Amino acid sequence: MPGLGASPGVAHSRTRLTDWLIWFAVLALATLAMLALRTHLDKAHVALVYLLVILGASGAGGRLLGLSVVAAAFVMFNLLFLPPYYTLAISNPLDWLVLVTFLVTSVVAAQLLYRARREAQEAQDRAAEVDRLATLGAETLNAPDAHDGLRQIVEVIRSTLGVDECDVFERDAELARPTASARLSRASSALTPVRTGEGSLVGWILQSGSRAEELVDGTVRLSEDGKLRADVRALAIPLLVRGATVGVLRVASAEGLRQPPEWRRLLDALAYYAALGVERVRLTTQAEQAEAERRLEALRSALLTSVSHDLRTPLTTIKGLAHEIEQGGSTDSASVIGMEVDRLNALIGDMLELSRIQAGAVRPMVVVDTADDLVGAALQGASSVLRGRDVVIDAPTDELLSGRFAFTESLRVLVNLLENAAKYSPPGSPIVVRVRRDADWLSLSVLDRGPGVPLAERDRIFEPFYRPTGTPSDVGGTGLGLSIARGLAEAQGGHLWFEPRDGGGSVFVLELPSATIPDDDNDSGDDEGDIH
Amino acid sequence: MTAPPLTMLVIDDEPQIRRVVRNALLSASFGAAEDPEQPKVRVLEAATGTEGVDLAASELPDLIVLDLGLPDQTGLAVCREIRRWSAAPILVLSARHADTEKAALLDAGADDYMTKPFSTVELLARVRAQLRRARQVSEAKAPAERVVLGSITVDLALRRVQREGEVVHLTPTEWALLRTFLLSPRKTLTHRQLFTAVWGNSEGDAQQYLRVYVGHLRRKIEDDPIRPRFLQTEPGVGYRFEPDAVAEA
């Protein structure tokens, strides 16, 4: 049967015009054929042929077409095949029996066929729905990222329900902004974005667990089940998991929501998946937070162990020396106190910096700046340890290289690399600072002829309190330098890594996003160009 | 003739820090090196911001040392209040190391800042530099017509820069920057102050490249732009023009 698979939702399917044309043509042809053979035909033959046409029309075109064909066949049977011909009058009373029997049989057959077809269609629809829900369920659980999963669910809900907008708000999240949204692209201008006032509506739904409707005129009211209104623009329903409200689902269409009963049922079923998706997001967030806290705790205990040692050692020295001075001892002790204070100050600074990085509190101010400035400031910042060292700058002289980076953070990284190079390489060997730029990156490398880093320890050197094996204890430093440096490099979108140097030694590369500078548009002007 | 006494105000809520600063200031000499007659130093102390503002108003000190961690009001507010009616140099002490804070303070009118812990040697050096600058500002308002920076000669009236007699081409932006630096020697100019000096209050695309323009300027007037003598970088805060580097060279 041709029309069956093509028209979903039998109850509302409109029989296509072609179906009408075809079946009335068939009816006409059958009538003409029988008219030609009328003398050889019995009434029963006519009734059977018509019945066949009626069954075909009902099956293919639906109830309305079926009944229309019944009516037409009934009239033609009467006019053309029951004497007297061409009038509605019937001479033989027994013919009435034939006609009425024909009518009842036809109507019942058309109705039965229609019902069977509708049930088949409904079964098919339901199978498709189950299929969709099963896919949605699989997506909910399968998406590697819980947020992605929720986004997919929201998009499926939007397309399945045929609405313009679908938003999910998560409990405990910022209510003014949905956790996940889907928009029909053409509707972007038709509906205003969720207004801030609705944030409180969402909050209210979370608290009360009721549904709310937004009407076309913008007013909001409680949704009454069973009472359908045509002017509903948006519907917000609570998302429940095991009786607890975990969020709110909002669907909206610019032209208003049509809400037939199946639509409502589908909405409820889909809402449950959205609820599961929200729940999963919430659990994942909790797990991530727990993991972050666990790592922070591990770091904190490592810090505490090291801190109690590294802080107390200089304090002990200072206290001892102060006592010596009090007793009238040599004033040389005073300079040692000064050095110990510097050490303490450096350690406190590093610990604060590391905890800021670990807590994600570093918000580097990224600007366009030059490599010249950065290298110059780093040489100055590390000048005390570089005194007497040969530092070679290997940078293109004909071009001013620039990048997008945070100056003080990058400076800190570079100073740290220079200090390490000075600390770990033999005093007579030069330290090279190499500056290069390609399309995307500005790289600043510090090269030394120190012992390098063994292969196995190349990642560990960036961990807090790591010191290479065999480091003499008087080498100084807090053991936090490289982990801070990497944290600062990454906080501004850059990278920091180690490479072995050809011929022995280390290369530490700080890579920062490069910047392209437009020509100074004033440059074309005259020397005496107007400035004021 | 005896030099007039120097009055200095220390605003800090920590008595120990006040003691250290007071002792350092009282033991130092602040006159010109060749002057045998050193001015007397008087140190006033305030433990709160309000007390500090009152003392600054009544005693008109020559220099103010201001701690940021005051109990009653922020150091920034005190700085702004004093700067409304006093031109005395303000040297700020801070325990925090945030560069944004430094820049905000300089924008509010502070002249210099130091982070704790600091050495008294450095404190005295900064105090001397500020006093010297204040004296120069009051003595000579008009800047020199010609400024010599190493092998570079800048003629402010003719707007010409020459290196050993040869004209160095500067763009208008570079010239505006150079002029701003020359007018404020030894003073840290924040990025914001430089924006305003070169571009006024207008917002523009060019401003984000301020640091690049300074880079170009350095390449034109410095012998080694990576190790500049005249245009020094104050990391995260701004730049400072150091004409003294000439004498040391």
Side-chain angles (χ1 to χ4, degrees):
Chain A
M1 295 191 189
L4 220 162
S7 57
V10 140
H12 302 276
S13 77
R14 236 166 272 151
T15 312
R16 287 174 310 181
L17 189 63
T18 46
D19 281 338
W20 285 77
L21 291 176
I22 289 169
W23 287 104
F24 273 96
V26 169
L27 183 67
L29 282 174
T31 307
L32 285 174
M34 287 191 295
L35 207 54
L37 302 167
R38 186 160 65 183
T39 46
H40 308 284
L41 287 177
D42 187 46
K43 289 175 236 71
H45 298 139
V46 178
L48 283 175
V49 169
Y50 275 144
L51 209 53
L52 215 56
V53 176
I54 286 163
L55 286 179
S58 306
R63 176 153 56 174
L64 194 58
L65 177 59
L67 293 179
S68 306
V69 173
V70 168
F74 175 79
V75 170
M76 281 192 278
F77 195 8
N78 190 348
L79 281 179
L80 303 178
F81 298 102
L82 294 179
Y85 299 138
Y86 312 116
T87 66
L88 285 176
I90 290 166
S91 51
N92 186 349
L94 274 179
D95 283 350
W96 274 112
L97 186 65
V98 172
L99 204 59
V100 169
T101 312
F102 167 75
L103 185 65
V104 172
T105 315
S106 303
V107 169
V108 169
Q111 287 282 20
L112 283 177
L113 243 173
Y114 159 73
R115 198 168 303 154
R117 202 187 124 200
R118 189 184 61 180
E119 273 162 15
Q121 182 64 45
E122 270 176 3
Q124 211 170 36
D125 280 358
R126 204 157 295 158
E129 192 179 303
V130 167
D131 219 37
R132 213 154 29 207
L133 292 179
T135 315
L136 195 54
E139 265 165 24
T140 322
L141 300 171
N142 226 359
D145 178 77
H147 274 100
D148 278 350
L150 185 59
R151 267 191 290 279
Q152 283 171 19
I153 292 169
V154 168
E155 178 53 39
V156 169
I157 292 178
R158 193 200 63 70
S159 59
T160 306
L161 293 178
V163 293
D164 293 346
E165 295 181 7
C166 178
D167 299 299
V168 165
F169 298 84
E170 189 187 344
R171 177 189 273 280
D172 306 329
E174 204 186 327
L175 288 180
R177 222 159 39 88
T179 309
S181 295
R183 296 270 179 281
L184 187 68
S185 49
R186 73 156 171 83
S188 55
S189 58
L191 268 180
T192 47
V194 183
R195 282 168 294 126
T196 44
E198 225 167 46
S200 57
L201 175 69
V202 169
W204 181 79
I205 294 171
L206 281 172
Q207 263 188 345
S208 67
S210 317
R211 299 168 165 235
E213 293 171 341
E214 189 190 311
L215 304 183
V216 175
D217 58 14
T219 55
V220 173
R221 57 173 203 139
L222 272 182
S223 170
E224 293 153 54
D225 276 333
K227 235 180 163 186
L228 300 183
R229 291 184 56 156
D231 56 348
V232 173
R233 184 171 70 177
L235 188 63
I237 65 170
L239 297 173
L240 300 170
V241 174
R242 288 181 296 277
T245 312
V246 295
V248 171
L249 174 74
R250 176 185 182 274
V251 290
S253 274
E255 287 125 31
L257 298 172
R258 274 185 298 276
Q259 309 175 39
E262 312 82 87
W263 190 89
R264 288 246 175 181
R265 205 184 59 232
L266 200 57
L267 174 66
D268 287 345
L270 291 170
Y272 186 59
Y273 284 102
L276 289 181
V278 169
E279 181 72 352
R280 189 167 163 232
V281 166
R282 202 175 61 83
L283 292 177
T284 314
T285 314
Q286 272 179 2
E288 277 165 7
Q289 272 169 358
E291 173 61 17
E293 266 163 36
R294 194 195 59 73
R295 255 184 300 176
L296 205 62
E297 198 46 53
L299 178 80
R300 214 171 275 151
S301 66
L303 266 170
L304 273 179
T305 320
S306 168
V307 162
S308 51
H309 172 260
D310 287 15
L311 284 181
R312 287 211 168 109
T313 308
L315 283 175
T316 311
T317 316
I318 291 169
K319 189 169 171 144
L321 292 172
H323 185 70
E324 259 176 45
I325 294 172
E326 216 173 19
Q327 302 290 308
S330 99
T331 45
D332 291 351
S333 317
S335 68
V336 182
I337 290 180
M339 277 158 54
E340 292 297 302
V341 167
D342 288 344
R343 222 174 102 185
L344 268 177
N345 188 38
L347 179 61
I348 290 169
D350 279 3
M351 284 182 340
L352 286 175
E353 189 74 38
L354 188 66
S355 62
R356 263 168 21 99
I357 293 170
Q358 297 282 346
V362 178
R363 299 212 165 64
M365 203 183 74
V366 175
V367 292
V368 178
D369 211 328
T370 64
D372 274 9
D373 213 357
L374 184 57
V375 172
L379 291 179
Q380 206 162 39
S383 58
S384 58
V385 291
L386 292 177
R387 194 161 294 136
R389 295 295 295 249
D390 189 8
V391 181
V392 179
I393 310 291
D394 169 13
T397 48
D398 53 337
E399 199 190 349
L400 185 63
L401 300 185
S402 52
R404 282 178 197 278
F405 54 88
F407 192 80
T408 38
E409 279 79 5
S410 304
L411 176 61
R412 201 154 167 192
V413 176
L414 210 53
V415 166
N416 182 263
L417 297 182
L418 286 169
E419 284 173 350
N420 281 352
K423 212 185 287 176
Y424 292 105
S425 65
S429 63
I431 295 167
V432 179
V433 179
R434 186 162 61 201
V435 186
R436 291 286 183 274
R437 204 202 111 157
D438 65 22
D440 298 321
W441 299 101
L442 173 69
S443 72
L444 302 120
S445 313
V446 177
L447 298 80
D448 68 39
R449 288 288 178 206
V453 178
L455 189 65
E457 298 184 2
R458 274 175 200 169
D459 275 324
R460 293 200 52 210
I461 55 173
F462 293 101
E463 287 172 13
F465 297 112
Y466 172 81
R467 288 246 172 75
T469 39
T471 308
S473 61
D474 63 345
V475 80
T478 59
L480 298 176
L482 279 179
S483 54
I484 290 175
R486 179 171 266 185
L488 291 178
E490 287 171 358
Q492 50 182 316
H495 310 100
L496 174 65
W497 71 84
F498 165 87
E499 286 171 5
R501 187 178 178 188
D502 287 343
S506 303
V507 183
F508 282 92
V509 185
L510 169 64
E511 198 177 58
L512 299 165
S514 68
T516 316
I517 315 296
D519 282 338
D520 183 354
D521 50 347
N522 299 326
D523 211 10
S524 53
D526 195 38
D527 277 13
E528 272 78 37
D530 46 325
I531 295 151
H532 301 290
Chain B
M1 167 196 146
T2 51
L6 274 174
T7 307
M8 303 199 199
L9 172 60
V10 182
I11 310 174
D12 195 324
D13 61 324
E14 290 280 344
Q16 294 302 332
I17 302 276
R18 285 209 304 273
R19 195 179 131 232
V20 168
V21 174
R22 182 186 64 218
N23 288 345
L25 292 175
L26 287 175
S27 66
S29 54
F30 295 103
E34 67 275 13
D35 193 350
E37 201 71 58
Q38 291 296 330
K40 276 208 185 68
V41 175
R42 193 162 67 106
V43 176
L44 306 168
E45 292 177 38
T48 65
T50 319
E51 207 183 315
V53 172
D54 288 348
L55 271 176
S58 61
E59 300 287 334
L60 300 175
D62 298 288
L63 181 131
I64 297 161
V65 178
L66 169 66
D67 179 69
L68 282 192
L70 294 173
D72 56 337
Q73 43 183 309
T74 66
L76 200 66
V78 175
C79 189
R80 219 173 260 142
E81 171 64 20
I82 294 177
R83 190 47 87 230
R84 285 203 303 133
W85 35 260
S86 166
I90 301 176
L91 178 57
V92 171
L93 304 178
S94 165
R96 292 172 57 197
H97 292 243
D99 297 308
T100 46
E101 185 192 68
K102 292 176 191 168
L105 276 165
L106 293 180
D107 284 335
D111 295 271
D112 203 357
Y113 58 84
M114 293 181 76
T115 46
K116 294 175 182 176
F118 53 85
S119 76
T120 47
V121 179
E122 200 189 340
L123 172 73
L124 291 176
R126 306 258 186 146
V127 167
R128 282 198 191 93
Q130 287 307 325
L131 289 174
R132 193 169 56 219
R133 225 179 65 74
R135 250 197 315 272
Q136 279 169 355
V137 168
S138 64
E139 278 164 13
K141 272 278 182 218
E145 288 279 285
R146 283 160 63 86
V147 181
V148 178
L149 308 170
S151 57
I152 299 280
T153 311
V154 184
D155 193 319
L156 283 164
L158 289 177
R159 291 186 179 187
R160 199 166 56 195
V161 179
Q162 284 177 304
R163 179 193 292 273
E164 284 150 6
E166 217 169 294
V167 173
V168 178
H169 171 91
L170 292 192
T171 67
T173 308
E174 288 162 3
W175 173 257
L177 272 174
L178 179 61
R179 196 166 161 278
T180 311
F181 281 124
L182 294 184
L183 292 179
S184 301
R186 278 180 292 276
K187 180 170 160 55
T188 300
L189 296 172
T190 64
H191 294 122
R192 183 186 297 268
Q193 286 163 347
L194 286 169
F195 289 149
T196 314
V198 176
W199 290 283
N201 285 320
S202 64
E203 295 282 324
D205 253 10
Q207 295 192 7
Q208 63 169 313
Y209 301 116
L210 169 76
R211 295 156 180 85
V212 179
Y213 294 132
V214 173
H216 282 301
L217 183 57
R218 270 189 184 141
R219 287 193 164 225
K220 288 178 183 175
I221 66 165
E222 299 275 3
D223 289 335
D224 181 354
I226 289 178
R227 298 177 181 83
R229 278 164 60 188
F230 310 113
L231 300 184
Q232 303 275 347
T233 300
E234 291 273 348
V237 178
Y239 298 93
R240 184 168 34 87
F241 169 52
E242 275 298 344
D244 282 358
V246 190
E248 287 163 19

